[in-house]
Amino acid sequence: MGADGGARGGLRQEWPQDLSCRTVPAVAERLTPLRHALADWARRVGLSPEITHDVVLASYEAMANVVEHAYHGGGGVLDLHATYSSEHVRVSVTVADYGRWRPPADDPGPLHGRGLSLIRTLASRAEVEPGPRGTTVRMHWLLDRATAPGG
């Protein structure tokens, strides 16, 4: 965490709607501060504890996938961007890398291969966009207007 309270490596916030962490080194040690920054942002926005849990867990899984799979030999970065739209009553989180997509193994073993299905279970909608310049995971949570922040 930087002196400004953010995850160093490009934190920019437009209080409280956006959380943006750019070019964060894609190493396991950087994921916990990002997870805490995302949880703090979700609380400041006013998300319920249940939605905060789902957002943080799914996003952490997407970031862990970057660390584990995106960069052969290390040296990469990830971007995390979270927004809350009161107009659309929706939370959106994007996790992006600039590595190479590796399709999941046919038999990844008992402790691997469940990340994308976990993300898709926790989010209202999730999209994975692999490409030649990296992979982007977009997750969306549609909130109940009556219980949404400011609702």
Side-chain angles (χ1 to χ4, degrees):
M1 299 292 267
D4 62 357
R8 197 173 295 289
L11 177 73
R12 176 190 61 80
Q13 280 187 263
E14 293 178 8
W15 190 265
Q17 284 76 22
D18 288 352
L19 171 72
S20 188
C21 304
R22 305 263 184 229
T23 64
V24 177
V27 295
E29 298 78 29
R30 299 306 293 268
L31 298 186
T32 298
L34 286 174
R35 186 181 71 220
H36 290 301
L38 183 60
D40 290 344
W41 169 84
R43 283 189 286 275
R44 286 192 303 264
V45 168
L47 300 181
S48 72
E50 294 81 12
I51 294 294
T52 297
H53 173 269
D54 290 354
V55 167
V56 171
L57 181 56
S59 301
Y60 186 79
E61 184 61 39
M63 293 184 293
N65 282 345
V66 171
V67 170
E68 179 86 13
H69 303 293
Y71 299 104
H72 311 289
V77 298
L78 68 86
D79 295 339
L80 169 69
H81 186 76
T83 62
Y84 169 67
S85 169
S86 57
E87 179 182 351
H88 297 105
V89 197
R90 177 177 70 190
V91 172
S92 298
V93 178
T94 301
V95 175
D97 68 61
Y98 304 93
R100 290 188 84 74
W101 170 261
R102 288 191 289 172
D106 289 336
D107 183 12
L111 300 177
H112 292 75
R114 292 175 178 75
L116 292 178
S117 37
L118 176 65
I119 290 168
R120 289 184 173 117
T121 297
L122 293 169
S124 301
R125 190 174 89 234
E127 305 128 15
V128 178
E129 297 176 13
R133 293 193 171 104
T135 301
T136 301
V137 177
R138 289 185 180 85
M139 301 162 281
H140 309 279
W141 286 263
L142 303 176
L143 307 178
D144 177 10
R145 191 170 289 281
T147 59

